[in-house]
Amino acid sequence: MSGDVVFDFARAERIGLSEAVFCAGKTPQQIAAILQSASQRDAGLLLTRLDAEKFAALSGELKAAIEWCPLSQCAFFGEVPPVSSTGDIAIVAAGTSDAPAAREAERTLRHAGVEASVIIDVGVAGLWRLMDRIEEIRRFPIVIAVAGMDAALASVLGGLYGGSLICVPTSVGYGAAEQGRTALNAMLASCAPGLLVTNIDNGYGAACAALRIIKLKNYR
């Protein structure tokens, strides 16, 4: 592996969550070095923020071992664990423009063996869209709410849904949306109590929070 890359292959043993390859800021050569090291260990990896240009720059051999999703910019390298959990998590996105962060959460969960249900385009500007799905949403013990602009979805869900609610502000919007800062502040300042809020566009972090909750649930 390249001398400026030290990958944490033992993280899963310590905390139950594998290290992912955050590809933003890494060169294709650094990404390739990590993948080659993983291949030598027969280790499967999750890659996040792998854009089309960096994916195209990888060797044909490495690309053949990767399942890449252009919408989420997530990829699975090597063997993917089988599904071991279903029905625990719903990912609820306000609009179709929020889908990249929602799909990043979905792919992160799937790489950990968790199959989530995804519900998209239920933003509260058309409140009936959410109300048409609210009974379905209430069946899940964990919900990841993904929203940009004013992020009102988080507060509305916080008043209608009683499970663990993890909120992802997205950079969707323009002007006063300030690349997601307004959504982040709205979720942090929500009058709905007990919301967990991640960083902007951090579908990966929301999925990891959900995995920690599932781990606690399974210990009981």
Side-chain angles (χ1 to χ4, degrees), residues 89 91 104-114 116 144 207 210-211:
I89 302 172
I91 301 167
E104 181 180 80
E106 179 191 27
R107 295 277 283 179
T108 301
L109 291 166
R110 177 59 191 87
H111 195 265
V114 177
I144 297 174
L211 290 170

Side-chain angles (χ1 to χ4, degrees), residues 122-143:
V122 289
V124 299
L127 188 58
W128 58 269
R129 295 180 299 185
L130 176 62
M131 298 311 296
D132 281 351
R133 307 294 295 273
I134 192 62
E135 293 305 322
E136 176 186 358
I137 292 168
R138 284 174 173 153
R139 291 200 293 267
F140 294 89
I142 303 167
V143 165

Side-chain angles (χ1 to χ4, degrees), residues 30-77:
Q30 289 171 327
I31 296 168
I34 294 171
L35 298 183
Q36 288 161 356
S37 179
S39 181
Q40 292 167 4
R41 297 166 179 257
D42 291 324
L45 294 178
L46 170 69
L47 295 86
T48 66
R49 306 302 165 97
L50 178 63
D51 62 33
E53 183 178 354
K54 288 180 181 176
F55 177 69
L58 297 174
S59 71
E61 181 182 2
L62 289 176
K63 282 191 285 191
I66 288 174
E67 180 193 331
W68 179 61
C69 170
L71 178 59
S72 66
Q73 294 192 349
C74 288
F76 300 155
F77 176 78

Side-chain angles (χ1 to χ4, degrees), residues 193-216:
L195 307 186
L196 187 158
V197 182
T198 73
N199 204 346
I200 298 166
D201 291 330
N202 194 6
Y204 168 78
C208 289
L211 290 170
R212 287 178 182 267
I213 294 171
I214 289 177
K215 185 178 178 182
L216 289 172

Side-chain angles (χ1 to χ4, degrees), residues 3 12 15 38 47 65 76 89 155 159 164 179 184 193 213 218:
I15 67 171
L47 295 86
F76 300 155
I89 302 172
S155 288
S164 297
Q179 297 182 313
L184 173 63
I213 294 171
N218 291 338

Side-chain angles (χ1 to χ4, degrees), residues 82-116:
V83 173
S84 58
S85 172
T86 59
D88 282 319
I89 302 172
I91 301 167
V92 181
T96 53
S97 296
D98 300 305
R103 294 298 180 185
E104 181 180 80
E106 179 191 27
R107 295 277 283 179
T108 301
L109 291 166
R110 177 59 191 87
H111 195 265
V114 177
E115 188 172 71

